[in-house]
Structures are given as structure tokens and as C-alpha cells.
Amino acid sequence: MKSGTLAAPAAITDADFQKFAEFFYRKTGIHFDDGKRYFVDKRLLDRIAATGAESFRSYFVALRFEADGAEMQQLVNCMTVNETYFFREAYQFDCLVNNLLDEVAARKPPGSRIRIWSIPSSTGEEPYSIAIYLLERWPKIDQFDVEILSSDIDTTVLSSARRGVYSPRSVQNLPPAYLKKYFTRHGHDEWAISRDLVSAVEFSRVNLSEAADTRQFRDIDIIFCRNLLIYFDDLSRRVAAEALYDTMSPGGFICLGHSESMSRMSSLYTVRRFPDAMVYQKPQ
């Protein structure tokens, strides 16, 4: 707390919460309802205290008018949820190597580029899982220039992903042979992923609600966007679905989380049912 200022507030009022939730929604597309009050209030109070602001009002004014966006990024980092592990919902990775990549490859000459985008990256388990699947289970990997891109709105998890060090829980679903091949012991009980795999993934910060952020992505053949849009409301889901559509190559595929349905967000995509998974496709 700054010298000579009043103590930071002990609670966030209903009006404060509504004002903050509307602002955060406009900035990120993430919708907080009253059921998220405890989660949001605690983290908001932590940031008010960390900045030394004397009240929610003074913090909120500074947040809205800051020039460099540094505090907004700190707030995003503590308000986003990052729950993941290697080979999570692995049936979609099976679909990737058994069906999706072959369809994409059939449209391209050998040696051409295939682009795969994982968003949100969280701490990196998903894009690194994709890389391992490609190396272990897609026979045509040497015939194409495969790019793996991965993005998140949270800069803290992006730093963690680039570091590539994981807990036993994160790697518990990996076959022992893969763990031995692609990881080394780090400290007492952590695992560090191969630096070759780290260098194979290009990480970047992206806010799906900012058109300028997604405009840099084009000709994406396969997108993994799993368990992100559940935090959006109907409008921001539709905006995100259309932004992702614009990044994709004709005939490209997008995989969502098991509880998400593109048909409820956008009519732009076609449903494709494969033996391992149902995915969505941009018409050719």
C-alpha cells in the first residue's frame, strides 16, 4: 500500500463486479457471471493490493487508461484458468494422425507446408503432445514441412511452455517409452522436455477478441481450440469462431473440447465424423 493512502478495499461490491466483468469481457471475450464471484473477487483484490491502489475505483481508472497495458496483462494472467496435461483427450490426437493429416497432405505437393495451431497453449502440454504424435505416429512427417504454432492470452503460461519443465501429474499419461525418449529428469521429481521439441513449437501471445492478433495467422490447416470457448458467451464465441475461420485454409479442420459444439456457435463450418473423433471443417 502506498504511504498515506487508504487501505485497499476488503470486498468488491456488486456494482464494482459488474463494471469490471463488462470491461474484462470487452477486452478478452471471457464472460464472468455471478457464479464466478469468489474466483474473480479474490484475484481482483490481490491485484488492487499489489498495485497499491487505494480503492477499486482508482485501480479501475488506472487500468482503463494505462498506456502500456502491463497491468491488464497481469490481470489476464491471474484471471485465466490453465488446467492441462500431456495426451489430454488423446482421441483427437489419434484422429489427427489417422485421418486429418492425410486429408490435408492429399491436397498438397510433397515438401509443402502444413500448419497446425494450438490455442490456448496453456503451459505447452498440448502443442508438445501434437509434436510427439507427429514424430511417433504419422509416417509422412518427413515428406512435409510441418509448422506447430501455439498461442495463449496469458504470458505467464507462455513462459512456462517455453521453459518446458513438467510435474509428474502433467506427464502421467505418457507411455514410459515416450517419457524416456523425449524427457530428462529435472530436479527431484520434475521432467524437462527435449529442447528439440521446444524449438519445434512457435509460441506467441494472442487474444482471440482482438482482430489484430488473429490477422497474423493465415493458411492454418488444423486448429486445436479445446476448452477455451466455454469461458465465452454466445456473442464472443461467434466472434472467435469467425476469427478462427478466417485464419484457416480451405478444407482445414478445427478440433474443439468434448463439451463444445461449433454448430451452436457458427454455421460456417461442416461437421466431419471420423472413427476417432468428430471435428469441424472449413468448406473447400
Side-chain angles (χ1 to χ4, degrees):
M1 187 174 69
K2 293 178 181 177
S3 175
T5 62
L6 299 174
I12 301 297
T13 68
D14 291 347
D16 292 343
F17 175 79
Q18 287 303 129
K19 192 177 296 184
F20 170 74
E22 289 169 6
F23 170 78
F24 199 78
Y25 170 75
R26 289 198 305 274
K27 288 290 188 179
T28 67
I30 298 172
H31 173 66
F32 292 131
D33 58 25
D34 287 341
K36 296 286 199 311
R37 277 298 298 268
Y38 176 78
F39 172 88
V40 173
D41 287 11
K42 182 178 185 304
R43 285 155 180 77
L44 190 51
L45 288 169
D46 286 347
R47 290 312 306 163
I48 292 172
T51 58
E54 60 190 49
S55 64
F56 168 81
R57 183 179 182 278
S58 61
Y59 173 80
F60 190 61
V61 168
L63 181 69
R64 289 175 60 205
F65 294 103
E66 67 171 348
D68 62 4
E71 177 55 26
M72 185 65 200
Q73 185 62 60
Q74 289 291 329
L75 195 57
V76 165
N77 290 356
C78 69
M79 289 289 179
T80 47
V81 178
N82 300 286
E83 168 67 20
T84 188
Y85 46 85
F86 282 89
F87 289 15
R88 184 182 188 184
E89 297 181 9
Y91 62 90
Q92 290 183 330
F93 301 136
D94 293 334
C95 186
L96 172 70
V97 295
N98 292 336
N99 300 106
L100 304 186
L101 283 165
D102 285 342
E103 278 208 20
V104 169
R107 299 193 292 267
K108 297 175 180 281
S112 58
R113 185 176 63 177
I114 293 176
R115 309 190 85 197
I116 303 173
W117 187 20
S118 164
I119 180 172
S121 75
S122 187
T123 44
E125 287 92 333
E126 180 173 278
Y128 293 139
S129 293
I130 291 169
I132 292 171
Y133 257 76
L134 288 172
L135 290 168
E136 293 292 331
R137 295 187 48 191
W138 194 49
K140 299 175 185 173
I141 182 65
D142 293 330
Q143 300 175 30
F144 292 89
D145 175 19
V146 180
E147 289 185 359
I148 302 176
L149 313 173
S150 194
S151 307
D152 205 289
I153 195 173
D154 183 337
T155 54
T156 300
V157 296
L158 286 168
S159 295
S160 181
R162 293 185 182 104
R163 180 169 173 257
V165 176
Y166 296 98
S167 68
R169 182 186 178 281
S170 285
V171 300
Q172 66 183 345
N173 288 343
L174 284 168
Y178 292 2
L179 191 62
K180 182 178 180 180
K181 185 174 182 178
Y182 296 107
F183 294 78
T184 55
R185 287 279 188 181
H186 182 86
H188 177 60
D189 64 351
E190 292 183 314
W191 294 87
I193 199 164
S194 155
R195 299 316 294 177
D196 287 341
L197 284 185
V198 173
S199 64
V201 179
E202 182 180 330
F203 291 100
S204 61
R205 183 199 173 276
V206 167
N207 179 350
L208 269 185
S209 294
E210 291 287 345
D213 285 5
T214 57
R215 203 173 292 129
Q216 62 185 300
F217 293 87
R218 288 294 180 265
D219 303 319
I220 304 296
D221 296 297
I222 299 169
I223 298 176
F224 282 79
C225 183
R226 307 191 300 176
N227 307 308
L228 169 63
L229 302 180
I230 55 175
Y231 299 103
F232 291 17
D233 70 353
D234 289 344
L235 175 59
S236 52
R237 283 188 196 108
R238 186 165 64 251
V239 170
E242 291 174 358
L244 292 170
Y245 184 91
D246 288 342
T247 70
M248 297 169 69
S249 298
F253 297 100
I254 183 167
C255 302
L256 301 181
H258 69 274
S259 65
E260 299 169 307
S261 171
M262 185 62 80
S263 58
R264 293 200 292 266
M265 304 178 205
S266 171
S267 59
L268 294 172
Y269 297 82
T270 302
V271 177
R272 292 290 306 276
R273 290 178 172 83
F274 293 100
D276 295 304
M278 181 178 77
V279 303
Y280 301 90
Q281 185 173 28
K282 179 175 182 175
Q284 297 188 53

